[in-house]
Amino acid sequence: MKHYFLRAAIALSVVLVFTACNESSEAKQKTATKTAECPESWNMPEGTGEFDPIASKDAVPCGNVTLWGSSMPKSFNMWEDYNSFSAELMSLMFEPLVTLHSTEDREIGVLAQSWEIGEDGKTFTFKIDPRAKWSDGKAITAEDVQFYYDVMMDPKNLTPIFKVGLERFERPEVIDEHTLKVVAKDSHWGNFWEAAGLNAFPKHLWAGKDFNKVRYDFPVVSGPYKIKQFREDRFVELERRADWWGFAKNWNRGKFNFERIRYRFMEDQTKVLEAFKKQDFDIYALYTSSIWIKQTDFEAVQKGYAVRQRVFNQEPIGFQGMAFNMRLEKFKDVRVRKALSMLMNRELMNEKYMYNQYFLLNSYYPDLWENNQNPTAPLYKYAPDSARALLAEAGYVADAQGMLLKDGKPLEITFITASSEMRHLTLYQEDLQKAGIKVNIEQMSQSTLRKRLDDAEFDMYWVNWGAGRLRDPEASWSSKTAMDKGTNNLSGLQDAVVDSLIELQKTEFNLEKRNAILKALDNRLTELVPYALMWQCDHHRLLYWNRFGTPEKVLDKYNREDVVPTYWYYDAKKAARLEEAMKNGSSLPLEPADIR
């Protein structure tokens, strides 16, 4: 599994495109790549350990692929400038000690070949694989992992989000060249995974350097790819390391198959579909349902040249909704929060704007429940009469103009947003105003928005939270985080029952039992209504030209299209078949529309 970083990350929507290595002769090289001859098999040296059940045995290293990298970030160094693109890039070049298995809830060693947990549950000892080497040939040692901790915790370095988790540990102790001991200060089930997520940094290269200035240049790496070319505001291209030490492990057989991966920087997403139709793009992951429904049934799809597929897997599903700032007096009454949930016409929004491609939420942990629905929680539907009754119970009365007042003060709400897409907010605004609530929509820059959220200077804010396989609810819901600057507890929730459940799950090391606690937490949250919940999607939408080999289920079990560089491969036979069909105008057999 490629995703080595175990922290919650913003999902990266990527578009993939076949391309050439040389920008000046791209069209010629692209054609050559699409018709490239690939080896029948890969004579990989005899490996050790278990195999990744997602990886294809038919995959061979061949071909190039380009990923859409959105606009170029100010740094590729995700540790000092965290963004989803840089996290994706770094995961291909640097490795942690241990990660999660691709299909099972257990550990798989990456840099570490073995590990032990002490009887106190707070001491973790990792043995680094003696085969592990940097791209310059030097051995990766326990000191390199200790150096990573030192870099993260250095007060001069701009690594605040990584300091939060590592502050729970003493400085890792180097026992010998390949042995590292990490001791947590307090007991917590997440301690192992925090320690396991320690990376190795090349101490022999970076010691004494200003880490904040390490932005685009990474000459020494440990992972399967290294930077080959970089052109500012245009692209960064990674080259597959045929000598990567990780190919000695069976776990990596059939993975990391593309010879080159190019991330092309572009801001405008509107032209992507048209470029795909011209075969400038080979793979396009769509996150706009209207485009999917109205614009993707074109001739190439009808003839089977391009595959149009919805992929259903078990990617953890987060939640999205309008966060109530419960620090404000007007939102402290749960009846008001329930009423505002009932005044959001989610059904109409889903039908009108999203073509019923989403399911309506009644849970903050939807994928813990069958069919993503909490059976004990209400599913709020548009019910203006019921909402008015709740507001009346909360003390709001209408004046002569129909505006709701309490103690002579109007109920007034301001939405803050940095988005130019206003349809949903405008419809919600109209329905709230019909109920007698004054509503403002304040648009601002992303930087201003971030500061307003950090300072809790907002009424309601629409946010979409991601999810991971390992869920720690403390940062999102603990009372002690409610008043912190920049907190993830946007609503400012403070509740003794929630706090007790958070404390209970901290020392529960069994994932199934911990999820049971999270279900109880979910039940309590649905009673408190810190968000006006909205909707989520339970599948991924892909268009791709029919020249690729993929895993059996197209993606892996728990991730989205960003695993394509890990598991997909260029299939020369499929490419030749596609080329011949397009030349003759004949159709290919259609691939399944849905993958489950």
Side-chain angles (χ1 to χ4, degrees):
M1 164 171 159
K2 183 185 61 177
H3 295 282
Y4 295 145
F5 302 108
L6 298 173
R7 310 171 194 282
I10 301 172
L12 175 65
S13 302
V14 294
V15 180
L16 304 161
V17 46
F18 252 33
T19 188
C21 307
N22 190 324
E23 186 76 9
S24 62
S25 58
E26 183 167 348
K28 180 179 178 181
Q29 290 287 345
K30 182 170 62 175
T31 301
T33 300
K34 287 181 178 178
T35 58
E37 292 185 5
C38 296
E40 292 291 330
S41 62
W42 182 22
N43 294 322
M44 182 176 175
E46 188 70 24
T48 60
E50 63 182 296
F51 291 85
D52 186 338
I54 301 296
S56 172
K57 295 179 180 179
D58 297 325
V60 294
C62 181
N64 307 328
V65 68
T66 298
L67 288 70
W68 178 39
S70 190
S71 57
M72 195 186 86
K74 69 177 184 180
S75 174
F76 294 158
N77 184 346
M78 61 158 277
W79 293 279
E80 61 91 22
D81 177 34
Y82 189 88
N83 61 81
S84 55
F85 167 73
S86 295
E88 174 76 8
L89 195 69
M90 293 299 101
S91 73
L92 292 168
M93 297 198 294
F94 292 92
E95 302 165 286
L97 294 168
V98 177
T99 192
L100 270 168
H101 191 279
S102 59
T103 63
E104 303 173 21
D105 293 325
R106 61 182 176 89
E107 309 89 348
I108 282 290
V110 183
L111 286 177
Q113 69 173 6
S114 64
W115 49 91
E116 295 179 357
I117 301 177
E119 292 184 4
D120 61 359
K122 298 188 295 182
T123 302
F124 312 99
T125 304
F126 298 92
K127 289 280 188 179
I128 294 175
D129 194 319
R131 298 170 296 182
K133 295 186 182 301
W134 294 107
S135 55
D136 62 2
K138 293 186 180 296
I140 298 173
T141 69
E143 283 195 6
D144 291 318
V145 182
Q146 182 191 60
F147 178 64
Y148 170 86
Y149 174 92
D150 291 343
V151 169
M152 292 299 104
M153 298 304 293
D154 190 328
K156 299 190 299 294
N157 292 336
L158 304 176
T159 55
I161 66 173
F162 295 92
K163 287 181 170 67
V164 172
L166 294 178
E167 283 174 347
R168 302 207 302 250
F169 298 90
E170 306 291 347
R171 183 178 186 241
E173 178 184 354
V174 175
I175 304 300
D176 57 42
E177 182 181 9
H178 296 114
T179 308
L180 187 80
K181 184 168 74 171
V182 187
V183 179
K185 299 173 184 177
D186 299 299
S187 182
H188 192 293
W189 67 263
N191 285 339
F192 171 77
W193 289 109
E194 191 72 43
L198 288 167
N199 278 238
F201 276 170
K203 184 176 181 179
H204 63 283
L205 176 70
W206 284 347
K209 290 189 176 182
D210 185 347
F211 186 70
N212 296 319
K213 294 181 179 179
V214 177
R215 294 184 176 175
Y216 301 114
D217 187 24
F218 299 87
V220 176
V221 299
S222 69
Y225 287 91
K226 63 182 179 181
I227 292 178
K228 176 69 174 179
Q229 295 185 74
F230 167 52
R231 295 188 184 178
E232 190 171 354
D233 292 323
R234 295 183 66 187
F235 68 85
V236 59
E237 184 175 88
L238 303 184
E239 180 179 50
R240 181 178 175 274
R241 293 180 53 214
D243 63 347
W244 177 43
W245 76 273
F247 286 132
K249 302 172 71 171
N250 287 333
W251 186 256
N252 296 313
R253 190 181 294 269
K255 295 162 65 173
F256 309 110
N257 303 299
F258 294 109
E259 298 287 359
R260 300 282 176 90
I261 301 174
R262 175 171 290 191
Y263 291 90
R264 180 175 293 168
F265 304 123
M266 298 171 60
E267 292 189 15
D268 187 358
Q269 303 179 39
T270 60
K271 298 179 181 178
V272 173
L273 182 58
E274 292 307 312
F276 175 86
K277 292 177 181 179
K278 298 175 183 177
Q279 294 196 71
D280 291 332
F281 290 79
D282 278 312
I283 305 168
Y284 181 21
L286 289 96
Y287 285 87
T288 303
S289 53
S290 60
I291 295 177
W292 178 258
I293 294 296
K294 298 166 66 175
Q295 300 181 45
T296 58
D297 189 24
F298 47 91
E299 184 181 10
V301 170
Q302 295 167 359
K303 287 191 170 184
Y305 304 160
V307 180
R308 180 182 185 271
Q309 253 171 3
R310 298 192 307 170
V311 181
F312 295 79
N313 64 3
Q314 297 179 38
E315 181 194 19
I317 300 174
F319 73 92
Q320 67 175 313
M322 299 287 291
F324 297 110
N325 188 351
M326 295 165 63
R327 305 167 189 85
L328 303 177
E329 188 63 35
K330 58 189 169 187
F331 294 129
K332 288 184 177 179
D333 192 323
V334 70
R335 292 170 295 189
V336 172
R337 303 195 297 273
K338 288 180 178 180
L340 294 174
S341 297
M342 294 176 182
L343 288 170
M344 182 185 292
N345 197 339
R346 300 189 293 172
E347 302 95 321
L348 179 60
M349 292 180 189
N350 193 22
E351 178 183 355
K352 184 176 181 179
Y353 302 139
M354 301 176 294
Y355 300 86
N356 290 317
Q357 292 288 297
Y358 295 79
F359 66 88
L360 302 184
L361 285 166
N362 77 335
S363 169
Y364 297 84
Y365 297 94
D367 61 305
L368 292 182
W369 305 98
E370 186 176 357
N371 297 321
N372 299 311
Q373 295 287 307
N374 183 336
T376 65
L379 181 67
Y380 291 111
K381 295 186 177 182
Y382 182 59
D385 291 340
S386 298
R388 290 189 185 97
L390 279 174
L391 290 169
E393 288 181 21
Y396 286 94
V397 295
D399 64 9
Q401 288 75 40
M403 302 304 293
L404 292 179
L405 305 176
K406 183 177 181 179
D407 299 328
K409 297 179 181 179
L411 179 53
E412 182 175 355
I413 298 170
T414 298
F415 303 146
I416 63 172
T417 181
S419 174
S420 59
E421 172 54 69
M422 303 294 290
R423 295 177 300 169
H424 303 81
L425 286 181
T426 300
L427 180 58
Y428 190 27
Q429 177 187 39
E430 292 171 355
D431 285 326
L432 290 171
Q433 289 175 335
K434 289 177 185 177
I437 302 168
K438 184 178 180 181
V439 180
N440 311 297
I441 300 177
E442 189 176 349
Q443 290 180 283
M444 60 194 67
S445 68
Q446 189 65 45
S447 59
T448 301
L449 177 75
R450 185 68 259 168
K451 186 177 187 306
R452 290 278 293 274
L453 293 174
D454 287 348
D455 295 338
E457 295 178 355
F458 70 95
D459 289 350
M460 295 177 69
Y461 174 64
W462 181 358
V463 61
N464 187 358
W465 292 105
R469 292 169 63 186
L470 302 173
R471 300 170 173 89
D472 186 349
E474 184 172 8
S476 298
W477 305 117
S478 173
S479 294
K480 67 182 182 182
T481 67
M483 305 307 292
D484 290 348
K485 184 181 178 67
T487 179
N488 281 359
N489 187 353
L490 276 185
S491 61
L493 180 73
Q494 299 183 65
D495 180 73
V497 175
V498 168
D499 290 342
S500 66
L501 291 168
I502 289 173
E503 290 301 313
L504 183 64
Q505 62 86 41
K506 281 184 179 181
T507 53
E508 178 53 69
F509 288 81
N510 181 282
L511 180 60
E512 184 177 351
K513 293 180 180 179
R514 203 160 62 244
N515 283 342
I517 297 172
L518 288 180
K519 286 185 173 182
L521 173 62
D522 191 45
N523 288 333
R524 180 58 177 167
L525 292 173
T526 60
E527 293 174 358
L528 297 172
V529 197
Y531 284 72
L533 290 172
M534 300 176 86
W535 48 75
Q536 277 294 15
C537 187
D538 62 353
H539 61 272
H540 312 286
R541 297 183 285 256
L542 296 178
L543 287 173
Y544 58 94
W545 290 93
N546 200 353
R547 57 172 63 92
F548 293 101
T550 74
E552 180 183 359
K553 300 296 185 180
V554 179
L555 301 177
D556 73 348
K557 185 175 181 180
Y558 293 112
N559 293 287
R560 52 183 61 192
E561 74 282 349
D562 47 355
V563 301
V564 167
T566 303
Y567 292 114
W568 286 34
Y569 59 98
Y570 175 80
D571 188 321
K573 292 181 180 179
K574 278 190 173 183
R577 184 187 67 166
L578 173 61
E579 184 179 3
E580 182 68 20
M582 295 180 69
K583 180 180 178 181
N584 298 331
S586 57
S587 296
L588 293 174
L590 296 181
E591 298 292 334
D594 288 346
I595 301 294
R596 297 180 184 271

